[in-house]
Amino acid sequence: VAMAATRSVMRAVRVFEFGGPEVLKLQSDVLVPVPKENQVLIKVHACGVNPVETYIRSGTYARKPALPYTPGSDVAGVVESVGEHVTAFKKGDRVFTLETVSGGYAEYAVAAANRVFPLPDKLDFRQGAAIGVPYFTAYRALFQKGCAKAGESVLVHGASGGVGLAACQIARAFGLKVLGTAGTEEGMNVVLRNGAHQAFNHRDPNYTERIKACTGPGGVDIIIEMLSNVNLDADLQLLSCTGRVMVVGCRGRIEINPRDTMSKESSIIGVSLFLATEEERHECATAVLDGIEAGWLKPVVGLEYPLEKVAKAHEDIIYSSGARGKMVLLL
């Protein structure tokens, strides 16, 4: 009997049980996935790390993948092979993804062809791994859910992280007045270099007063909120009439007074990229690819880790103070 061709193996991070960062296990004998129809196999050069991946790993998030699984959705790399019916990509193409089927914390990843996008030469793989979730989320929060318009003001709360910097760049490109907060001097400078008209230190006890002084009695039209369990109550005081808080990130509960929404007819709106329709994703992709071409979309890469240090990356993204750009794993 002829032996089946032996499939090659790769290094990949596997999660066999939900829990702390220590459940992330790097294994060197994981089978390289095979692309099915309408799928692309990518040799991964860099993979983004997103806070949501730590929530999913802990088992506390609404979405629970079947165990075992490999985390990671934002990869950048080179197409290794394509499944049937894939015409948009070929072996050797530089690409980035919005999500993967097999998991991105690995040497190879399979993604649906409609979640794969060309990576222009002007961006490196580290930057490519910083596009998917942050920029699509920021665009969705601003326009699809927040109905932002040129001339409005936006406060990006936690502006120095991946989604925050994406929101600053996009909002500035689309004609909004952009205010950003960060926790360090360095973070504030990064925010100013990436589209914010003004930056505030959210560790300064009077920072909300400074924001009010900057926006005047009208308040701010839109707040992009990365840490709503800390800031939501204060956010409601900063809003304009019919202002809206876009809840992008949350790590716990908070008490608010609903009357604060009545006095201004303001809104608190949750944002989840996972709920985007095919049309909405296409709209995000078009805006993102246009931004790369126009030159205003320039991902800022923050801390970088080898695959072996994935547990440390998951610890740092939640506990280290002062984000500066998108955290990535390098392969």
Side-chain angles (χ1 to χ4, degrees), residues 4-250:
T6 55
R7 270 173 65 188
S8 46
V9 294
M10 63 173 180
R11 294 188 313 143
V13 174
R14 302 292 281 162
V15 174
F16 293 91
E17 59 179 326
F18 296 111
E22 71 283 353
V23 302
L24 298 161
K25 306 288 187 203
L26 180 58
Q27 302 199 296
S28 53
D29 58 353
V30 179
L31 286 176
V32 174
V34 175
K36 301 190 173 85
E37 64 176 353
N38 300 313
Q39 291 183 342
V40 176
L41 177 67
I42 300 161
K43 184 176 190 343
V44 178
H45 286 254
C47 181
V49 180
N50 297 291
V52 70
E53 287 145 25
T54 70
Y55 312 153
I56 293 169
R57 180 215 70 226
S58 70
T60 58
Y61 195 63
R63 285 168 57 254
K64 275 200 183 118
L67 296 167
Y69 77 100
T70 295
S73 55
D74 301 331
V75 309
V78 175
V79 173
E80 180 74 15
S81 63
V82 299
E84 277 184 90
H85 312 310
V86 176
T87 53
F89 301 101
K90 61 183 187 312
K91 184 175 166 69
D93 287 352
R94 287 164 45 95
V95 294
F96 71 93
T97 67
L98 175 61
E99 53 190 69
T100 67
V101 176
S102 59
Y105 296 8
E107 290 177 323
Y108 292 89
V110 159
N114 64 354
R115 304 285 191 278
V116 178
F117 307 95
L119 180 65
D121 289 336
K122 63 172 120 174
L123 298 180
D124 63 29
F125 291 120
R126 294 154 48 251
Q127 291 173 302
I131 300 171
V133 169
Y135 283 88
F136 281 65
T137 300
Y139 183 87
R140 181 168 179 76
L142 282 163
F143 299 107
Q144 293 177 343
K145 295 292 161 190
C147 303
K149 292 180 181 58
E152 286 191 311
S153 57
V154 59
L155 169 66
V156 183
H157 224 154
S160 62
V163 178
L165 289 169
C168 288
Q169 290 177 4
I170 294 171
R172 181 65 180 253
F174 281 82
L176 281 93
K177 180 181 180 184
V178 186
L179 314 175
T181 75
T184 62
E185 196 68 37
E186 192 184 348
M188 287 164 66
N189 288 331
V190 172
V191 169
L192 287 169
R193 284 200 300 274
N194 284 281
H197 292 90
Q198 283 187 272
F200 304 86
N201 189 329
H202 53 63
R203 293 178 200 278
D204 169 356
N206 300 319
Y207 84 98
T208 53
E209 295 311 314
R210 294 186 180 186
I211 293 171
K212 281 178 187 164
C214 175
T215 59
V220 65
D221 298 308
I222 302 170
I223 298 177
I224 307 288
E225 184 52 73
M226 312 304 165
L227 199 60
S228 44
N229 53 300
V230 172
N231 300 321
L232 188 57
D233 187 48
D235 288 342
L236 294 176
Q237 322 301 321
L238 293 172
L239 286 178
S240 64
C241 255
T242 70
R244 45 265 186 227
V245 180
M246 313 309 301
V247 177
V248 171
C250 182

